[in-house]
Amino acid sequence: MKKTVVFYYVCTVLLSLVMGVGSIPNIMSAPEAVVLFEHLGYPAYLLPFLGVAKLLGVIAIWIPGFPRIKEWAYAGLAFDMAGAMYSIIAVGDPASGYLTFIIFFAILAGSYICHHRLAAFKSQAKKHSEGNRMNAESIQSV
């Protein structure tokens, strides 16, 4: 269990850094980001939208509770990375850049899988504690 918690936080912090830091030039429409978007064939007006979406996804992953929003956040970040990887493949950029995306997908998958393992563990612990409380109440009533 402890390994899962540590791995979850390592992956989630790395994911947050990659996506959070990557969203800032998009939000600000930095010249380098505009040049990259033009190279990929996208209009520059999409930059702030994608940057804000990435940042909101990172924030949603860290907010406790709201499991459905977390699912959408993980999905959105995965779509963002898949779209970026597809775009660099489509324009014929060198395959050496693919390794970065594979690493980022692995970090995202690690965070997502550990999140679900921890949620399942919390759910089981809650059911177990409720069962113990019911047994204690039934013993006291006898």
Side-chain angles (χ1 to χ4, degrees), residues 44-83:
Y45 65 80
L46 278 178
L47 277 168
F49 171 77
L50 290 175
V52 169
K54 276 193 236 185
L55 197 56
L56 289 174
V58 169
I59 292 168
I61 287 173
W62 284 103
I63 294 176
F66 305 103
R68 186 161 296 167
I69 292 175
K70 282 184 194 279
E71 288 292 320
W72 279 99
Y74 276 113
L77 295 176
F79 294 149
D80 179 74
M81 285 195 287

Side-chain angles (χ1 to χ4, degrees), residues 24-110:
I24 294 168
N26 292 0
I27 292 170
M28 298 174 57
S29 292
E32 300 84 16
V34 172
V35 168
L36 175 64
F37 251 50
E38 287 173 356
H39 168 70
L40 295 174
Y42 295 113
Y45 65 80
L46 278 178
L47 277 168
F49 171 77
L50 290 175
V52 169
K54 276 193 236 185
L55 197 56
L56 289 174
V58 169
I59 292 168
I61 287 173
W62 284 103
I63 294 176
F66 305 103
R68 186 161 296 167
I69 292 175
K70 282 184 194 279
E71 288 292 320
W72 279 99
Y74 276 113
L77 295 176
F79 294 149
D80 179 74
M81 285 195 287
M85 186 171 182
Y86 176 80
S87 296
I88 68 163
I89 292 169
V91 297
D93 283 356
S96 59
Y98 304 169
L99 180 61
T100 305
F101 285 103
I102 292 169
I103 292 168
F104 292 163
F105 277 116
I107 292 169
L108 175 71

Side-chain angles (χ1 to χ4, degrees), residues 16 18 23 33 38 44 57 95 107 112 115 126 140:
S16 299
V18 167
S23 71
E38 287 173 356
I107 292 169
Y112 182 76
H115 162 68
K126 184 178 178 184
Q140 288 177 353

Side-chain angles (χ1 to χ4, degrees), residues 106-118:
I107 292 169
L108 175 71
S111 175
Y112 182 76
I113 290 167
C114 289
H115 162 68
H116 278 284
R117 285 184 181 166
L118 293 173

